[in-house]
């Protein structure tokens, strides 16, 4: 029996291979040494465990999901995973660089239409920057996939990892213009430094609040899971959802286990085996209790500071705090009280915004410290008055930079697949 948490929305990394080599990837190191693949029997076992726990939504991501069986895309069981979750009445989301969407659209259109909503990764709104960061030319196919998703009526968003190089007015305004023209939503996860080398690529505190001020004053908010923002907006999630209402199923390990961890970024807290252990026992483990207790009791550093946002923020993002400071008792580096202390005022965020999508659900609602918005009709960027001028002007005006440092061996698999497929 669940004692201290109620899990609803989770993520699932269904394979160990990806066709891109993003410098900011949060999972490549824990995936790279495993050649173990999920079987259909494994999938049945895992989904049955999720049903018992009462899980409401599952998002498939973490690697490029079509690659459930390594580089051998023809052997994929992603369609089987989607069907099995659908048969269990669990809405499915998909996070993709475009390749999984393309393959499903061409070979498994029925399963594609079972997906509730899709996130398409763009590290930059500008083609050359995005492709440079991915290590493979994916931008054009991703844009076509977004247009196709909108065409066939699957709710979708552009998902960006907010980093120091792309979380600024120039890039965010371009993202907003692009998503408005495409008809998609826009989603942001700010960078979590799973490797120390990424610390300098995080947006600083001022950039974090200034960036979200730009976003939230130009959009209708669909999901607000960043409790540091909730402290000022007075709407959204209170405290970090990870380990209390959400968790991540990991890819199958080299020793044949399927462990889970309270947060997708927190590999040090990985525990259990969904193929052998009871899921109720796993989510009552010490690793999960550490996250539940942080949200419930609030970190000591926050309590000792006399913060007026204490009950709403509840310490902010657990992963961000741990990865920056090395423990769960520290404040979020984007602490709202420290921002006010430095500036003497709150950031220019909207108060009590209406939150939610026009219809249906989103699988990332109360899952991860994330934000999703839909661009307001009156938003405009004079540089990008139409989708054609966007691609023309963005290509001409940009001095290309690398968004994050690539640390993996580049793969040409994504580019070769793009060349072989059309939309």
């Amino acid at each position: 029996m669940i004692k201290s948490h109620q899990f609803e929305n989770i993520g699932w990394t269904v394979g160990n291979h990806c066709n891109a080599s993003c410098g900011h990837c949060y999972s490549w190191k824990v995936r790279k040494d495993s050649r173990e693949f999920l079987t259909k029997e494994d999938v049945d076992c895992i989904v049955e465990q999720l049903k018992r726990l009462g899980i409401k939504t599952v998002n498939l991501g973490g690697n490029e999901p079509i690659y459930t069986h390594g580089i051998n895309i023809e052997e994929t069981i992603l369609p089987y995973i989607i069907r099995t979750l659908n048969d269990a009445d669990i809405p499915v989301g998909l996070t993709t660089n475009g390749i999984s969407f393309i393959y499903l659209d061409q070979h498994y259109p029925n399963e594609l239409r079972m997906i509730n909503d899709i996130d398409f990764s763009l590290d930059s709104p500008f083609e050359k920057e995005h492709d440079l960061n991915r290590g493979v030319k994916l931008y054009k196919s991703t844009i076509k996939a977004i247009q196709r998703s909108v065409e066939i009526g699957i709710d979708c968003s552009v998902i960006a990892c907010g980093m120091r190089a792309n979380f600024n007015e120039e890039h965010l305004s371009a993202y907003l213009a692009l998503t408005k023209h495409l008809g998609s939503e826009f989603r942001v996860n700010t960078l979590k430094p799973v490797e120390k080398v990424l610390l300098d690529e995080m947006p600083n505190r001022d950039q974090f609040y200034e960036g979200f001020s730009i976003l939230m004053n130009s959009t209708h908010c669909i999901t607000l899971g960043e409790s540091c923002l909730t402290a000022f907006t007075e709407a959204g999630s209170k405290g970090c959802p990870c380990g209390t209402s959400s968790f991540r199923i990991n890819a199958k390990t080299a020793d044949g286990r399927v462990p889970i961890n309270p947060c997708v970024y927190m590999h040090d807290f990985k525990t259990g085996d969904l193929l052998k252990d009871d899921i109720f026992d796993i989510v009552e483990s010490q690793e999960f209790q550490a996250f539940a207790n942080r949200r419930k009791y609030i970190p000591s550093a926050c309590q000792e500071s006399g913060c007026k946002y204490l009950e709403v923020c509840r310490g902010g993002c657990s992963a961000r705090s741990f990865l920056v400071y090395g423990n769960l008792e520290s404040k979020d580096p984007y602490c709202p009280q420290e921002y006010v202390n430095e500036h003497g005022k709150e950031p220019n965020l909207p108060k009590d915004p209406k939150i939610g999508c026009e219809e249906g659900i989103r699988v990332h609602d109360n899952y991860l410290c994330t934000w999703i918005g839909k661009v307001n009709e009156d938003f405009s960027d004079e540089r990008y008055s139409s989708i054609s001028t966007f691609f023309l002007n963005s290509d001409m005006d940009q001095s290309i930079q690398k968004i994050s440092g690539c640390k993996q061996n580049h793969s040409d698999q994504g580019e070769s697949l793009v060349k072989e497929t059309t939309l």
Side-chain angles (χ1 to χ4, degrees), residues 5 9 16 122 132 172 226 262 320 357 380:
H5 9 252
N9 308 306
N16 286 299
L122 282 181
L132 180 64
L172 293 178
E226 278 278 7
R320 198 158 50 217
C357 51
S380 65

Side-chain angles (χ1 to χ4, degrees), residues 185-186 219-224 354-358 362 365 371-374:
E185 296 164 1
F186 184 36
T219 62
H220 162 67
C221 186
I222 293 172
T223 290
L224 181 57
K354 182 180 178 182
I355 297 177
C357 51
E358 293 179 359
R362 297 293 179 269
D365 191 26
W371 169 88
I372 305 174
K374 181 82 170 182

Side-chain angles (χ1 to χ4, degrees), residues 10 86 107 193 366 376:
I10 70 161
N86 185 71
H107 301 282
N366 206 29
N376 295 333

Side-chain angles (χ1 to χ4, degrees), residues 13-47:
T13 301
V14 295
N16 286 299
H17 180 70
C18 186
N19 59 312
S21 53
C22 311
H24 62 279
C25 180
Y26 57 80
S27 66
W28 74 278
K29 277 194 171 181
V30 296
R31 292 188 282 105
K32 67 184 180 70
D33 294 327
S34 177
R35 300 296 180 267
E36 292 291 320
F37 308 136
L38 289 170
T39 66
K40 291 181 178 179
E41 291 75 20
D42 293 339
V43 173
D44 293 343
C45 175
I46 292 168
V47 173

Side-chain angles (χ1 to χ4, degrees), residues 4-7 9 189-190 192 224-231 236-248 261-266 287-299 302 309-323 328 330-333 336 364-370:
S4 57
H5 9 252
Q6 184 59 56
F7 295 97
N9 308 306
N189 290 340
T190 56
K192 311 301 188 297
L224 181 57
E226 278 278 7
S227 63
C228 288
L229 299 177
T230 298
S237 297
K238 294 183 178 180
C240 178
C242 297
T244 55
S245 65
S246 70
F247 59 78
R248 169 59 64 122
N261 44 308
C263 169
V264 62
Y265 305 106
M266 300 293 277
E287 289 82 357
F288 274 74
Q289 285 299 323
F291 275 70
N293 289 340
R294 185 182 193 273
R295 183 174 183 174
K296 181 177 180 180
Y297 299 114
I298 308 177
C302 300
Y309 305 106
L310 195 68
E311 294 298 327
V312 177
C313 178
R314 310 195 73 80
C317 173
S318 300
R320 198 158 50 217
S321 304
F322 183 87
L323 293 170
L328 290 173
S330 295
K331 302 176 182 180
D332 189 306
H364 285 93
D365 191 26
N366 206 29
Y367 168 55
L368 295 180
C369 297
T370 195

